[in-house]
Amino acid sequence: MILGIGTDLANIERIQRTLDRFGDRFRNRVFTEVEQRKSERRRDVAGTYAKRWAAKEACSKALGTGLRMGIAWKDMSVSNLRTGQPVMHVTGWAADRLAKMTPPGHEAIIHVTLTDDHPWAQAMVLIEARPIADSGPESGGGA
Ligand SMILES: CC(C)(COP(=O)(O)OP(=O)(O)OC[C@H]1O[C@@H](n2cnc3c(N)ncnc32)[C@H](O)[C@@H]1OP(=O)(O)O)[C@@H](O)C(=O)NCCC(=O)NCCS
Protein backbone atom coordinates (compact mmCIF):
# COMPACT_ATOMS: atom_id res chain seq x y z
CA MET A 1 0.00 0.00 0.00
CA ILE A 2 1.04 3.57 -0.51
CA LEU A 3 1.65 5.54 2.68
CA GLY A 4 2.58 8.87 1.17
CA ILE A 5 3.72 10.80 -1.85
CA GLY A 6 5.53 14.10 -2.18
CA THR A 7 6.95 16.22 -4.95
CA ASP A 8 9.05 19.35 -5.15
CA LEU A 9 10.52 21.69 -7.71
CA ALA A 10 13.69 23.60 -6.83
CA ASN A 11 15.20 26.50 -8.71
CA ILE A 12 18.85 25.72 -9.50
CA GLU A 13 19.75 29.41 -9.76
CA ARG A 14 18.36 30.06 -6.29
CA ILE A 15 20.43 27.17 -4.93
CA GLN A 16 23.48 28.60 -6.75
CA ARG A 17 22.91 31.99 -5.09
CA THR A 18 22.55 30.35 -1.68
CA LEU A 19 25.80 28.41 -2.26
CA ASP A 20 27.58 31.62 -3.30
CA ARG A 21 26.27 33.54 -0.31
CA PHE A 22 26.45 31.01 2.51
CA GLY A 23 28.97 28.45 1.21
CA ASP A 24 29.87 25.75 3.70
CA ARG A 25 27.35 26.97 6.26
CA PHE A 26 24.57 26.02 3.81
CA ARG A 27 26.32 22.87 2.57
CA ASN A 28 26.96 21.51 6.03
CA ARG A 29 23.56 22.37 7.46
CA VAL A 30 21.56 20.72 4.67
CA PHE A 31 23.67 18.10 2.90
CA THR A 32 25.41 14.96 4.16
CA GLU A 33 29.01 14.22 3.32
CA VAL A 34 27.92 11.74 0.62
CA GLU A 35 25.65 14.36 -0.97
CA GLN A 36 28.39 16.98 -0.87
CA ARG A 37 30.99 14.65 -2.34
CA LYS A 38 28.68 13.71 -5.22
CA SER A 39 27.64 17.30 -5.91
CA GLU A 40 31.09 18.87 -5.72
CA ARG A 41 32.61 16.58 -8.31
CA ARG A 42 29.82 17.18 -10.83
CA ARG A 43 30.01 19.63 -13.71
CA ASP A 44 26.61 21.00 -12.63
CA VAL A 45 27.30 21.43 -8.92
CA ALA A 46 24.24 23.58 -8.13
CA GLY A 47 21.96 21.33 -10.21
CA THR A 48 23.09 18.27 -8.27
CA TYR A 49 22.52 20.02 -4.94
CA ALA A 50 19.15 21.32 -6.18
CA LYS A 51 17.93 17.79 -6.99
CA ARG A 52 18.88 16.68 -3.48
CA TRP A 53 17.22 19.75 -1.96
CA ALA A 54 14.03 18.92 -3.90
CA ALA A 55 14.30 15.30 -2.73
CA LYS A 56 14.37 16.39 0.93
CA GLU A 57 11.36 18.64 0.45
CA ALA A 58 9.48 15.90 -1.42
CA CYS A 59 10.37 13.36 1.29
CA SER A 60 9.11 15.62 4.06
CA LYS A 61 5.82 15.91 2.18
CA ALA A 62 5.59 12.14 1.74
CA LEU A 63 6.26 11.77 5.47
CA GLY A 64 3.33 14.10 6.04
CA THR A 65 5.35 16.64 8.01
CA GLY A 66 6.40 19.22 5.45
CA LEU A 67 9.49 21.22 6.22
CA ARG A 68 9.51 23.23 9.39
CA MET A 69 12.12 25.58 10.69
CA GLY A 70 14.73 23.78 12.68
CA ILE A 71 14.26 20.31 11.24
CA ALA A 72 17.39 18.32 10.58
CA TRP A 73 17.67 18.26 6.79
CA LYS A 74 20.49 15.76 6.90
CA ASP A 75 18.09 13.18 8.36
CA MET A 76 16.80 12.79 4.80
CA SER A 77 19.62 12.07 2.39
CA VAL A 78 20.18 10.80 -1.13
CA SER A 79 22.85 8.43 -2.34
CA ASN A 80 23.17 6.67 -5.68
CA LEU A 81 23.42 3.00 -6.56
CA ARG A 82 26.13 1.96 -9.03
CA THR A 83 23.53 2.21 -11.79
CA GLY A 84 22.95 5.87 -10.92
CA GLN A 85 19.54 5.22 -9.38
CA PRO A 86 18.95 7.48 -6.38
CA VAL A 87 18.11 6.06 -2.97
CA MET A 88 16.65 7.98 -0.01
CA HIS A 89 17.89 7.24 3.52
CA VAL A 90 16.16 8.51 6.62
CA THR A 91 17.59 8.82 10.11
CA GLY A 92 16.64 10.62 13.34
CA TRP A 93 13.24 12.33 13.33
CA ALA A 94 12.49 11.21 9.74
CA ALA A 95 13.14 7.55 10.59
CA ASP A 96 10.93 7.91 13.71
CA ARG A 97 8.16 9.43 11.65
CA LEU A 98 8.47 6.67 9.03
CA ALA A 99 8.27 4.00 11.73
CA LYS A 100 5.14 5.62 13.21
CA MET A 101 3.33 5.68 9.86
CA THR A 102 4.23 2.08 8.95
CA PRO A 103 1.48 -0.43 9.82
CA PRO A 104 2.45 -3.44 11.96
CA GLY A 105 3.77 -6.38 9.93
CA HIS A 106 4.96 -4.09 7.14
CA GLU A 107 8.25 -2.60 6.09
CA ALA A 108 8.46 0.85 4.55
CA ILE A 109 10.22 1.40 1.26
CA ILE A 110 11.02 4.90 0.06
CA HIS A 111 11.11 5.39 -3.70
CA VAL A 112 12.69 8.54 -5.11
CA THR A 113 13.17 9.84 -8.61
CA LEU A 114 15.05 12.97 -9.66
CA THR A 115 15.35 15.04 -12.80
CA ASP A 116 16.62 18.44 -13.83
CA ASP A 117 16.32 20.73 -16.80
CA HIS A 118 17.88 24.10 -16.12
CA PRO A 119 16.74 26.10 -14.18
CA TRP A 120 14.54 23.48 -12.54
CA ALA A 121 15.31 20.43 -10.46
CA GLN A 122 12.50 18.10 -9.55
CA ALA A 123 12.02 15.23 -7.15
CA MET A 124 9.23 12.83 -6.44
CA VAL A 125 9.08 10.54 -3.42
CA LEU A 126 6.68 7.68 -2.82
CA ILE A 127 6.54 5.69 0.41
CA GLU A 128 5.32 2.13 0.10
CA ALA A 129 4.43 -0.28 2.90
CA ARG A 130 5.14 -3.87 1.97
CA PRO A 131 4.01 -6.84 4.09
CA ILE A 132 7.00 -8.50 5.72
CA ALA A 133 7.32 -11.91 4.06
CA ASP A 134 7.26 -14.06 7.17
CA SER A 135 4.48 -12.20 8.96
CA GLY A 136 1.65 -13.42 6.71
CA PRO A 137 -1.05 -15.85 7.89
CA GLU A 138 0.31 -18.72 5.72
CA SER A 139 3.68 -18.78 7.44
CA GLY A 140 2.20 -18.67 10.88
CA GLY A 141 4.64 -15.92 11.87
CA GLY A 142 3.52 -13.10 14.14
CA ALA A 143 3.47 -9.47 13.04
C1 LIG B 1 19.15 7.46 -16.19
C2 LIG B 1 19.20 8.50 -17.31
C3 LIG B 1 18.02 8.23 -18.23
C4 LIG B 1 19.13 9.91 -16.69
O1 LIG B 1 18.82 10.84 -17.70
P1 LIG B 1 19.36 12.33 -17.78
O2 LIG B 1 18.55 13.04 -18.78
O3 LIG B 1 20.83 12.28 -17.90
O4 LIG B 1 19.15 12.98 -16.39
P2 LIG B 1 17.85 13.46 -15.57
O5 LIG B 1 18.09 14.87 -15.18
O6 LIG B 1 16.56 13.15 -16.17
O7 LIG B 1 17.96 12.54 -14.29
C5 LIG B 1 19.12 12.49 -13.55
C6 LIG B 1 18.83 11.67 -12.34
O8 LIG B 1 18.35 10.40 -12.72
C7 LIG B 1 18.65 9.48 -11.68
N1 LIG B 1 19.17 8.24 -12.29
C8 LIG B 1 20.35 8.04 -12.87
N2 LIG B 1 20.46 6.75 -13.24
C9 LIG B 1 19.33 6.13 -12.89
C10 LIG B 1 18.84 4.80 -13.00
N3 LIG B 1 19.56 3.83 -13.55
N4 LIG B 1 17.61 4.52 -12.51
C11 LIG B 1 16.87 5.48 -11.92
N5 LIG B 1 17.28 6.76 -11.80
C12 LIG B 1 18.49 7.07 -12.28
C13 LIG B 1 19.69 10.14 -10.79
O9 LIG B 1 19.07 10.49 -9.57
C14 LIG B 1 20.07 11.38 -11.57
O10 LIG B 1 20.40 12.49 -10.75
P3 LIG B 1 21.68 12.41 -9.79
O11 LIG B 1 22.76 11.73 -10.58
O12 LIG B 1 21.99 13.83 -9.44
O13 LIG B 1 21.25 11.60 -8.61
C15 LIG B 1 20.51 8.39 -18.09
O14 LIG B 1 21.58 8.72 -17.24
C16 LIG B 1 20.74 7.01 -18.69
O15 LIG B 1 20.12 6.61 -19.66
N6 LIG B 1 21.64 6.24 -18.17
C17 LIG B 1 21.91 4.92 -18.76
C18 LIG B 1 22.66 4.11 -17.81
C19 LIG B 1 24.05 4.62 -17.71
O16 LIG B 1 24.57 5.32 -18.55
N7 LIG B 1 24.69 4.26 -16.63
C20 LIG B 1 26.01 4.71 -16.40
C21 LIG B 1 26.48 4.19 -15.07
S1 LIG B 1 26.62 2.44 -15.11
Side-chain angles (χ1 to χ4, degrees), residues 35-53:
E35 292 173 322
Q36 292 187 38
R37 230 182 298 132
K38 164 78 70 179
S39 303
E40 294 296 334
R41 63 167 186 247
R42 284 285 178 78
R43 202 158 50 90
D44 183 6
V45 173
T48 306
Y49 277 124
K51 277 180 272 184
R52 281 148 185 76
W53 172 282

Side-chain angles (χ1 to χ4, degrees), residues 4-142:
I5 61 168
T7 185
D8 189 65
L9 202 56
N11 187 300
I12 296 168
E13 288 168 10
R14 187 168 68 89
I15 297 292
Q16 180 68 66
R17 284 195 296 274
T18 309
L19 285 166
D20 292 344
R21 182 149 176 227
F22 298 103
D24 282 346
R25 241 177 79 204
F26 173 58
R27 282 188 193 85
N28 295 331
R29 189 161 67 89
V30 175
F31 301 101
T32 61
E33 223 179 286
V34 167
E35 292 173 322
Q36 292 187 38
R37 230 182 298 132
K38 164 78 70 179
S39 303
E40 294 296 334
R41 63 167 186 247
R42 284 285 178 78
R43 202 158 50 90
D44 183 6
V45 173
T48 306
Y49 277 124
K51 277 180 272 184
R52 281 148 185 76
W53 172 282
K56 292 166 198 276
E57 296 237 32
C59 187
S60 75
K61 292 174 185 173
L63 288 169
T65 58
L67 284 175
R68 291 185 297 255
M69 290 301 289
I71 69 153
W73 288 76
K74 287 198 271 194
D75 279 336
M76 299 172 290
S77 72
V78 172
S79 64
N80 295 82
L81 301 180
R82 274 222 198 112
T83 57
Q85 184 183 334
V87 183
M88 174 70 71
H89 306 274
V90 290
T91 52
W93 71 269
D96 290 346
R97 169 77 193 153
L98 185 65
K100 281 204 187 85
M101 66 197 276
T102 306
H106 288 68
E107 61 179 334
I109 295 138
I110 306 178
H111 303 272
V112 57
T113 183
L114 308 178
T115 190
D116 64 298
D117 192 356
H118 200 91
W120 300 108
Q122 187 185 39
M124 193 185 141
V125 169
L126 185 147
I127 303 175
E128 175 195 0
R130 218 175 266 176
I132 295 169
D134 66 358
S135 69
E138 271 102 327
S139 70

